[in-house]
């Protein structure tokens, strides 16, 4: 019996000893090495070509990288991103909650909002807001079909700045609403039910129980949105808002150094998005802290807790 | 236990009359009548689909009923009387009514993003207006009572199922409920972890807490219940002292159900 088992388990080479996997080697793969060499060669060649192409005009890139006009454009782009994103998230949250509500009026309004602002190009929306005065020369508050309480001249309210903020924020709100709605739906139904059973109001249950859990699935796509928002701010250059792209355009319109000036903008956009990627990974780690078994954030769990968790 | 020694004419804590509940075409409760006295421990037994969990969820209005009447502590659940007419309560009105009812779920439903301690003090601080210190002191006492003082800083995911359910019981007790509802509290547990949860519940029963327990644990019903209710097909089939309903069932359906556990 025992001889039979030994024979079946023995390696085909006939070696009777048991070789511990600790001694195993990774096999040498010639194919991988060749592939690496080819790719590195092509990349090096490409960099060489770019560096020696006078069209890129790298000295000009360096010369204008910290140009005051470029920097002020950068601030405008960043400012628009931050304001547009904050307004977009706040409005998106409200619209997501309205969309999920039992109330037909609220969910109907939310659906209509999302349908319209997601369904039309942002560029068109921006131009539309900028030209609002041709439709409504004056805007104000009034009783429907009744007297006007207060009003302003549209052209004094809608500057390139306000048109840009309104356009970016409303468009962002429509996308954020769908992201937040998906996040809220991803939380186990039992959690809302438990909060309800404990007598929490809907608002409190959302704020304390549902939203913190939804954040884990809301943060990654929101990071995506933030990055596309930074790039979307470049669209405001069409309504004469002096953002980063508009600034480099205004410079190359007089110097005709189109490619190097665009490179200035490209490098700045890449720098910002890289920083944001790092921030996003920290946020993701924060909202998944209760997922980790080993350590707890506030109170280090006694070793026994970890041990017992295994059953 | 104290239910036996209540003075004559004590008002029941829970009164249910002719309760009907349907999900679309399917009628799951077909006229339930039940009174639960203060301090009484009522165990509801019955096969799956008998409507026992649904009835429990109707008591704190997690499910609305289509016909009948449910009252807890003198208030009709989910409704109020205004100008002599019965009117549906707003969501916040219902939330207020639920604040004296504790509930323990089959799937524990601890808040996974909060530590054990935060789970327990959430409702006392946020809803019942206790100070953080009072709520924390009380929570630590409750954790001691369920034998989990060492786990106050742990997250639910780091605990076993039995430990999670004991935390869930402590969380429900933290609001000092007049009534505790247990919805199959041991059904999601591994067999070797059932005992610790039942022991905690037996303790509570001894201390005179009013409890309605939906379960499959016949042993618990025998030992801890003042009254056993057997439900089948949306009806109460049999109701009485555990030694009668479990020891000497009269109805053939009760007999058939119990024979599977012998």
């Amino acid at each position: 019996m025992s001889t039979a088992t030994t024979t079946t388990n023995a390696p085909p080479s006939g070696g009777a000893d048991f070789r511990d996997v600790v001694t195993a080697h990774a096999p040498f793969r010639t194919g991988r090495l060749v592939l690496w060499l080819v790719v590195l060669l092509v990349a090096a060649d490409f960099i060489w070509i770019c560096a020696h192409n006078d069209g890129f005009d790298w000295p000009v890139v360096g010369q204008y990288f910290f140009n005051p006009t470029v920097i002020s454009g950068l601030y405008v782009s960043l400012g628009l991103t931050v304001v547009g994103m904050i307004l977009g998230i706040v409005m998106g949250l409200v619209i997501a909650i309205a969309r999920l509500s039992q109330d037909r009026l609220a969910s109907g309004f939310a659906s209509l909002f999302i349908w319209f602002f997601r369904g039309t190009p942002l560029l068109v929306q921006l131009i539309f807001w900028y030209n609002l005065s041709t439709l409504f020369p004056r805007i104000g508050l009034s009783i429907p079909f009744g007297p006007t309480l207060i009003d302003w001249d549209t052209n004094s309210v809608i500057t390139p700045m306000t048109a840009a903020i309104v356009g970016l924020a409303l468009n962002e709100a429509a996308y954020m609403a769908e992201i937040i709605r998906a996040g809220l739906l991803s939380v186990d139904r039992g959690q809302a039910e438990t909060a309800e059973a404990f007598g929490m109001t809907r608002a409190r249950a959302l704020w304390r129980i549902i939203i913190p859990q939804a954040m884990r699935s809301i943060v990654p796509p929101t990071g995506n949105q933030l990055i596309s928002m930074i790039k979307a701010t470049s669209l405001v250059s069409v309504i004469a808002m002096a953002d980063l792209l508009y600034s480099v355009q205004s410079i190359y319109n007089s110097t005709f150094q189109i490619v190097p000036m665009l490179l200035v903008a490209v490098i700045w956009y890449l720098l910002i998005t890289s920083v944001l990627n790092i921030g996003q990974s920290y946020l993701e780690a924060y909202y998944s802290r209760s997922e980790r078994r080993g350590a707890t954030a506030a109170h280090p769990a006694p070793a026994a807790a970890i041990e017992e968790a295994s059953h | 236990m104290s239910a036996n020694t209540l003075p004559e004419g004590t008002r029941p804590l829970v009164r249910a009359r002719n309760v009907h509940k349907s999900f679309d075409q399917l009628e799951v409760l077909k006229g339930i009548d039940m009174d639960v006295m203060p301090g009484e421990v009522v165990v509801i037994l019955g096969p799956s689909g008998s409507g026992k969990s649904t009835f429990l969820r109707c008591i704190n209005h997690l499910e609305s009923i289509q016909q009948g009447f449910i009252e807890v502590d003198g208030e009709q659940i989910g409704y109020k009387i205004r100008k002599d007419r019965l009117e549906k309560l707003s969501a916040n009105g219902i939330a207020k009514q639920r604040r004296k009812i504790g509930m323990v779920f089959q799937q524990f439903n601890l808040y996974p993003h909060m530590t054990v301690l935060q789970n327990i003090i959430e409702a006392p601080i946020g809803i019942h207006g206790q100070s953080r210190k009072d709520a924390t002191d009380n929570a630590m006492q409750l954790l001691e009572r369920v034998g989990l003082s060492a786990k106050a800083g742990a997250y639910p995911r780091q605990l076993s199922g039995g430990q999670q359910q004991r935390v869930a019981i402590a969380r429900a007790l933290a609001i000092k409920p007049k009534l505790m509802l247990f919805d199959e509290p041991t059904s999601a547990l591994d067999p070797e972890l059932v005992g610790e949860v039942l022991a905690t519940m037996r303790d509570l029963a001894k201390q005179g807490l009013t409890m309605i327990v939906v379960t499959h644990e016949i042993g618990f019903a025998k030992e801890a219940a003042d009254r056993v209710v057997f439900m089948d097909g949306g009806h109460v089939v049999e109701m009485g002292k555990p030694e009668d309903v479990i020891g000497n069932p009269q109805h053939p359906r009760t007999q058939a159900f119990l024979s599977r556990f012998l």
Side-chain angles (χ1 to χ4, degrees):
Chain A
M1 180 77 182
S2 68
T3 21
T5 11
T6 322
T7 342
T8 38
N9 280 353
S13 61
D17 55 330
F18 297 100
R19 294 205 171 183
D20 196 321
V21 294
V22 169
T23 63
H25 290 275
F28 184 77
R29 297 200 190 117
T30 324
R32 299 284 309 163
L33 184 72
V34 172
L35 195 62
W36 267 99
L37 285 173
V38 170
V39 169
L40 288 177
L41 210 65
V42 170
D45 188 44
F46 183 70
I47 291 169
W48 182 261
I49 291 169
C50 290
H52 283 76
N53 185 331
D54 289 338
F56 284 104
D57 226 341
W58 292 105
V60 177
V61 174
Q63 183 192 334
Y64 280 97
F65 199 67
F66 293 106
N67 181 288
T69 315
V70 173
I71 296 297
S72 75
L74 180 69
Y75 280 138
V76 169
S77 283
L78 285 176
L80 276 179
T81 305
V82 170
V83 173
M85 206 62 201
I86 290 173
L87 288 176
I89 289 173
V90 172
M91 283 192 286
L93 179 65
V94 173
I95 292 161
I97 292 168
R99 179 107 197 254
L100 290 171
S101 123
Q102 310 278 336
D103 189 290
R104 293 275 293 280
L105 183 67
S107 71
F109 170 79
S111 301
L112 193 71
F113 181 97
I114 294 168
W115 171 77
F116 183 82
F117 286 99
R118 248 182 8 160
T120 50
L122 176 57
L123 185 57
V124 176
Q125 287 174 33
L126 284 170
I127 299 171
F128 193 87
W129 286 113
Y130 188 53
N131 294 293
L132 195 66
S133 62
T134 56
L135 270 181
F136 306 103
R138 300 190 69 75
I139 50 175
L141 284 175
S142 67
I143 295 158
F145 303 107
T148 302
L149 304 174
I150 180 169
D151 75 337
W152 300 273
D153 177 17
T154 303
N155 274 329
S156 68
V157 178
I158 299 289
T159 60
M161 173 71 95
T162 49
I165 289 174
V166 169
L168 290 171
L170 289 179
N171 187 265
E172 193 55 35
Y175 282 93
M176 282 309 301
E178 287 296 89
I179 289 171
I180 293 170
R181 184 172 74 101
L184 297 178
L185 287 175
S186 76
V187 178
D188 177 25
R189 176 81 194 92
Q191 292 289 315
E193 201 165 68
T194 307
E196 241 181 276
F198 272 84
M200 284 191 202
T201 58
R202 292 243 172 89
R204 190 177 169 85
L206 263 176
W207 188 245
R208 295 285 302 168
I209 308 298
I210 308 299
I211 291 176
Q213 293 182 58
M215 286 305 273
R216 282 191 55 227
S217 44
I218 291 176
V219 169
T222 304
N224 244 346
Q225 284 303 112
L226 185 57
I227 285 169
S228 64
M229 176 65 129
I230 287 172
K231 295 177 294 171
T233 56
S234 64
L235 291 176
V236 303
S237 55
V238 299
I239 54 171
M241 180 78 192
D243 76 314
L244 181 56
L245 181 63
Y246 187 89
S247 308
V248 299
Q249 282 174 332
S250 69
I251 295 173
Y252 72 58
N253 280 341
S254 53
T255 65
F256 302 107
Q257 292 158 321
I258 298 177
V259 171
M261 286 319 293
L262 284 179
L263 279 174
V264 169
V266 163
I267 293 169
W268 271 118
Y269 282 123
L270 278 175
L271 278 176
I272 300 165
T273 50
S274 306
V275 170
L276 289 174
N277 279 332
I278 296 165
Q280 185 185 344
S281 57
Y282 276 105
L283 257 183
E284 282 176 27
Y286 175 78
Y287 280 109
S288 59
R289 69 196 184 285
S290 65
E291 290 295 298
R292 289 192 299 271
R293 277 175 159 245
T296 58
H299 321 259
I306 301 152
E307 236 174 63
E308 280 190 51
S310 53
H311 49 228
Chain B
M1 302 290 153
S2 55
N4 304 329
T5 58
L6 286 174
E8 276 296 304
T10 306
R11 190 190 177 103
L13 187 67
V14 180
R15 296 198 299 170
R17 291 290 178 278
N18 193 30
V19 172
H20 286 260
K21 166 76 187 172
S22 309
F23 292 107
D24 297 324
Q25 300 299 312
L26 183 72
E27 194 175 24
V28 275
L29 298 179
K30 301 170 183 165
I32 305 288
D33 295 314
M34 196 184 294
D35 279 353
V36 178
M37 301 303 287
E40 198 179 15
V41 177
V42 173
V43 172
I44 305 179
L45 300 174
S48 307
S50 58
K52 54 191 193 310
S53 276
T54 305
F55 177 63
L56 196 75
R57 294 160 57 82
C58 290
I59 295 175
N60 65 353
H61 211 272
L62 283 182
E63 306 284 355
S64 57
I65 60 175
Q66 272 97 41
Q67 195 187 326
F69 167 93
I70 295 179
E71 174 196 278
V72 176
D73 197 26
E75 282 184 60
Q76 184 166 2
I77 293 297
Y79 295 86
K80 66 176 174 189
I81 291 167
R82 187 157 158 254
K83 290 181 188 157
D84 208 35
R85 280 168 26 148
L86 199 60
E87 201 173 78
K88 272 191 184 171
L89 265 179
S90 66
N92 286 355
I94 295 169
K96 278 211 183 72
Q97 289 186 332
R98 287 179 177 134
R99 289 175 190 176
K100 46 192 164 186
I101 306 174
M103 190 163 189
V104 174
F105 297 86
Q106 183 177 352
Q107 301 295 340
F108 330 135
N109 292 2
L110 292 179
Y111 309 130
H113 58 301
M114 297 182 179
T115 64
V116 164
L117 182 64
Q118 288 168 338
N119 261 278
I120 299 176
I121 63 177
E122 173 62 29
I125 293 177
I127 303 167
H128 297 265
Q130 286 184 29
S131 73
R132 181 164 289 270
K133 190 186 172 304
D134 289 352
T136 307
D137 289 349
N138 187 39
M140 291 311 292
Q141 276 174 24
L142 287 168
L143 278 175
E144 176 118 37
R145 204 158 135 191
V146 299
L148 290 170
S149 307
K151 299 286 189 282
Y155 282 100
R157 218 167 285 263
Q158 298 163 336
L159 304 180
S160 73
Q163 291 173 331
Q164 288 193 46
Q165 193 61 298
R166 278 145 67 200
V167 171
I169 292 173
R171 175 176 68 171
L173 290 173
I175 62 167
K176 303 192 168 67
K178 291 200 163 178
L179 170 70
M180 277 282 272
L181 306 175
F182 292 84
D183 187 7
E184 306 204 22
T186 57
S187 299
L189 294 176
D190 292 338
E192 78 269 21
L193 302 177
V194 169
E196 59 188 74
V197 172
L198 290 182
T200 306
M201 289 168 61
R202 231 175 273 127
D203 272 358
L204 298 177
K206 276 189 201 124
Q207 284 157 19
L209 186 68
T210 313
M211 296 165 53
I212 304 177
V213 184
V214 168
T215 187
H216 292 289
E217 296 292 330
I218 308 290
F220 175 79
K222 251 189 223 166
E223 276 176 63
D226 295 309
R227 194 146 47 105
V228 171
V229 176
F230 179 75
M231 281 179 68
D232 193 15
H235 294 283
V236 171
V237 176
E238 213 167 330
M239 169 149 49
K241 289 197 179 313
E243 51 269 33
D244 295 335
V245 176
I246 298 172
N248 183 23
Q250 299 303 306
H251 199 281
R253 274 190 285 179
T254 322
Q255 292 165 356
F257 176 76
L258 289 170
S259 69
R260 281 187 273 140
F261 293 90
L262 296 175

